[in-house]
Amino acid sequence: MKSLILLTTARLLFPLMVLLSVFLLLRGHNAPGGGFVGGLVAAAALALHALAHGMEPTRRLLPLSPVAWIAAGLSCALFSGTIAWAFGQPYLTGLWLPVSIPVLGSAGTPLLFDLGVYLLVIGMVTHVLSLLWEE
């Protein structure tokens, strides 16, 4: 059953929720928020889209499979910790660029770690959602 109200709401809220999730991701490396909360908001947007349109159109929105998102997130988070080793620091020591980036501010390994968590959460929730949808 397709609900006109749900389809309209999903069409309006989906881009706003994705934008909010990116804002939370970028804000989180210097303030509360971050990859986990941003990933949950993005996954909630995908869940809303799946409820309104079905799982197949939602899968087509993502360029990679959920397992690939999980692998990319884990790789990114693990890589962010190993950067400190190259500078003789302990694993997961935060390092920042010496220059400030206009939108991000002082970017560094915490942002890279948050990006990994963001991708991982989107992949996990989407994978669980698709498994539940098949049932």
Side-chain angles (χ1 to χ4, degrees):
M1 179 178 94
K2 297 276 184 173
S3 166
L4 181 62
I5 294 171
L6 182 60
L7 287 169
T8 305
T9 303
R11 186 174 59 241
L12 294 173
L13 284 181
F14 183 78
L16 294 174
M17 290 175 75
V18 171
L19 186 64
L20 176 64
S21 78
V22 172
F23 170 76
L24 288 170
L25 168 68
L26 296 178
R27 180 180 184 268
H29 72 283
N30 283 332
F36 186 75
V37 175
L40 284 178
V41 172
L46 290 168
L48 177 65
H49 188 275
L51 283 172
H53 301 283
M55 200 61 207
E56 274 310 309
T58 303
R59 281 191 191 119
R60 286 193 300 266
L61 279 179
L62 298 172
L64 302 171
S65 71
V67 176
W69 284 79
I70 294 168
L74 277 174
S75 299
C76 189
L78 291 173
F79 175 70
S80 72
T82 59
I83 293 173
W85 283 347
F87 294 96
Q89 299 290 324
Y91 186 73
L92 281 178
T93 299
L95 301 173
W96 287 266
L97 295 174
V99 294
S100 181
I101 299 174
V103 174
L104 299 176
S106 58
T109 55
L111 178 61
L112 192 59
F113 181 80
D114 275 345
L115 178 63
V117 172
Y118 181 81
L119 296 174
L120 178 68
V121 169
I122 290 174
M124 283 298 300
V125 173
T126 307
H127 185 61
V128 168
L129 182 65
S130 66
L131 289 176
L132 289 173
W133 198 273
E134 291 172 3
E135 292 295 321

